[in-house]
Amino acid sequence: MTLITLIGGGVAAALATTVAVLVYRDATRVGVDIGSPSLWAALVILSSGASVATALLVPDAPIPGVLVLAVLGPLLYLLERDDSLHDDGPPDPTHLPSGSDATDDRDE
């Protein structure tokens, strides 16, 4: 293993751990609806670790695919966090999400 690979892996591990700690603290503060904060932090570590392992073990892996795998955990957490903060109840097909009424003035 080359020195560059070891340094890159160490930097990636430190970055993934930092992001996982931030996700854990934020999930504890916000109180996400699904799962526990430790599960969300584990998802971040798992997706980051899988992307690093893919980049190291599969030299011909496409970079966009590795990047998608790297951001999968934090992206899913951010989507769940947004849903937990802005959940307004069950969907209503008769109203627009902005809260304004859907009226049609053409029939007047």
Side-chain angles (χ1 to χ4, degrees), residues 2 4-6 14 35-36 38 41 46 50-52 56 58 61 63 68-69 74 76 84 93 101 104 106:
T2 65
I4 302 243
T5 305
L6 287 174
S36 67
S38 54
L46 183 67
S51 68
V52 169
L56 292 177
V58 185
I63 296 299
V68 165
L69 189 57
L76 288 176
S84 295
D101 291 332
D104 192 7
R106 290 180 286 176

Side-chain angles (χ1 to χ4, degrees), residues 1-19:
M1 210 180 277
T2 65
L3 182 62
I4 302 243
T5 305
L6 287 174
I7 291 173
V11 168
L15 184 63
T17 304
T18 303
V19 171

Side-chain angles (χ1 to χ4, degrees), residues 16 19-20 23 39-49 70 73-74 77:
V19 171
V23 163
L39 285 175
W40 286 110
L43 179 66
V44 168
I45 290 286
L46 183 67
S47 70
S48 301
Y77 169 71

